[in-house]
Amino acid sequence: MKHLLSLAALIASSVIPFAASAETSIGWTTISIPSPQRGKPLSVDVWYPSDAKAPEILVGDNRIFTGAPAKPDAAINPGKYPLILLSHGSGSRAQGMTWIAARLAEKGFIVAGPDHPGTTSGDSTPIATPRIWERTQDLSNIITWMAGDAKWAPSVQASKIGVLGFSLGGSTALEIIGARADLNAYADYCDRYSMMMDCQWFAGGFGFVDGKRVASPVVKLREFDKRFEQSNIDPRVTSAVIVDPGLAQAFKPESLKQITTNTTIINLGSSDTLPAAVDAAKLVAQIARAAYHQIAGSNHFSFLPVCKAGAQDFLSEAGDVDPICAGKGLRERAEVHMDAAKLIVDAFGKAMN
């Protein structure tokens, strides 16, 4: 799992006016849906097919990352569309996946991604991070609401629902199709790999609340809430694409063997470069209907949006030690995105035919 925490304190998600040379066929909006479990509404970004004539903006554009064009609040094209749920990585936002959400919308999907409270930009703490059951509930709430809402129900093909998760979002996606985490296995992993980013995060020190850095205690994984191990399956989800999943070393093998959902798992990098935190090869071997791909010349950060010129220098000067935008020895991020987008679009297209 990657925690974009210093970055979260530096920038907020944004939208920028955009003058396109060729009009996009993508609409975008932000909706608020009920979340009784959270005790407050859930903010959800939605991308969808739209040929309506409307001004465009760059969604997710900011000081660090390049956004993607879409037409805010434009009318959705008539018809029924499969629904793809997005689950972002720890310390990020749904808009951090705009580049792939827009591609899926262009191909005829409705894409909906929440900002998961407690693990999102400016609102991220170590103690909230392992509460995977809250994230899966966010996704289930989106399905229920969009399939029943007067505005969205006519457009949502409720029998075809997929999930796309990255990093901690990859863990979320695995859980919603039936994987169950093992608390002792995860604690053992952090004992063995104490310098991994997720384990360093649980070692405590700081987090973010309301955009401000706050002190945070150590998370004692072996004493953590037992709901960490519960089943969070939602049988309405019929396909999944999982990218660099967190908790990769900590899922119960028997739960993986029971997964029947069409599943595609993607690792960013090659077998000799993958960190243990997200190495998913063993997971794939235990899921009956899983396809597995590696994207050579990439790393975990490659799934983030394309960085702007000077972004890494800006981050370094601001005190962020992570090489979020460093590309030495790696392929251009836009090229990696092309490979990933093809795999993702093809996987959902095949699963939903």
Side-chain angles (χ1 to χ4, degrees):
M1 281 174 273
K2 175 58 202 158
H3 307 280
L4 304 177
L5 298 172
S6 300
L7 177 62
L10 291 169
I11 59 175
S13 296
S14 57
V15 292
I16 306 294
F18 176 67
S21 56
E23 187 175 7
T24 183
S25 59
I26 301 160
W28 164 83
T29 192
T30 300
I31 61 177
S32 179
I33 73 165
S35 177
Q37 299 83 3
R38 295 283 193 182
K40 60 182 179 180
L42 192 66
S43 177
V44 180
D45 287 287
V46 186
W47 295 260
Y48 50 89
S50 177
D51 293 323
K53 300 295 182 182
E56 296 180 3
I57 58 172
L58 286 175
V59 181
D61 198 269
N62 53 47
R63 175 65 180 80
I64 307 300
F65 297 125
T66 299
K71 295 174 285 195
D73 302 319
I76 190 169
N77 291 346
K80 288 273 192 180
Y81 303 98
L83 173 63
I84 305 296
L85 306 166
L86 293 187
S87 188
H88 63 72
S90 182
S92 187
R93 290 183 182 270
Q95 288 188 19
M97 298 174 76
T98 291
W99 66 269
I100 186 58
R103 181 65 172 163
L104 286 164
E106 183 182 52
K107 293 297 183 179
F109 297 92
I110 294 174
V111 184
D115 287 342
H116 294 290
T119 57
T120 195
S121 177
D123 174 25
S124 191
T125 59
I127 197 64
T129 301
R131 298 174 69 88
I132 303 294
W133 65 91
E134 294 181 339
R135 282 174 149 253
T136 53
Q137 186 64 61
D138 291 342
L139 300 185
S140 291
N141 285 347
I142 292 172
I143 299 173
T144 299
W145 191 85
M146 293 191 75
D149 177 69
K151 177 180 177 180
W152 290 101
S155 301
V156 172
Q157 195 168 3
S159 63
K160 294 185 177 182
I161 297 175
V163 61
L164 168 60
F166 166 60
S167 196
L168 183 59
S171 307
T172 307
L174 274 167
E175 292 252 344
I176 207 168
I177 63 171
R180 295 178 61 186
D182 184 320
L183 202 53
N184 283 329
Y186 197 39
D188 288 344
Y189 151 76
C190 274
D191 287 345
R192 180 182 296 182
Y193 299 101
S194 60
M195 297 310 294
M196 284 289 175
M197 289 178 288
D198 48 345
C199 302
Q200 285 286 297
W201 176 235
F202 294 133
F206 70 95
F208 288 92
V209 176
D210 294 330
K212 297 179 181 178
R213 182 167 170 145
V214 297
S216 178
V218 172
V219 176
K220 297 178 181 179
L221 289 173
R222 286 192 171 82
E223 300 174 14
F224 195 69
D225 195 313
K226 288 297 183 181
R227 283 177 289 182
F228 182 83
E229 297 186 329
Q230 74 180 25
S231 173
N232 298 305
I233 190 171
D234 190 325
R236 294 174 295 181
V237 177
T238 59
S239 60
V241 178
I242 293 144
V243 183
D244 267 13
L247 311 185
Q249 307 300 318
F251 286 107
K252 295 177 183 291
E254 61 270 23
S255 71
L256 298 173
K257 293 174 183 176
Q258 293 172 3
I259 291 174
T260 59
T261 305
N262 287 306
T263 305
T264 296
I265 299 181
I266 300 170
N267 267 146
L268 299 164
S270 304
S271 298
D272 59 343
T273 64
L274 292 173
V278 297
D279 188 345
K282 291 182 180 179
L283 298 178
V284 176
Q286 299 176 83
I287 300 174
R289 301 178 68 181
Y292 181 58
H293 304 275
Q294 294 178 348
I295 301 180
S298 64
N299 68 8
H300 194 67
F301 298 104
S302 298
F303 204 74
L304 300 178
V306 172
C307 294
K308 293 184 175 178
Q312 188 61 48
D313 290 340
F314 173 77
L315 290 167
S316 298
E317 290 169 4
D320 196 307
V321 299
D322 295 322
I324 293 168
C325 292
K328 186 177 180 180
L330 301 173
R331 295 165 57 203
E332 291 292 329
R333 192 166 291 184
E335 293 181 3
V336 174
H337 285 183
M338 289 178 63
D339 287 353
K342 186 178 189 313
L343 291 172
I344 293 166
V345 170
D346 287 352
F348 282 128
K350 181 179 179 180
M352 295 184 178
N353 277 342

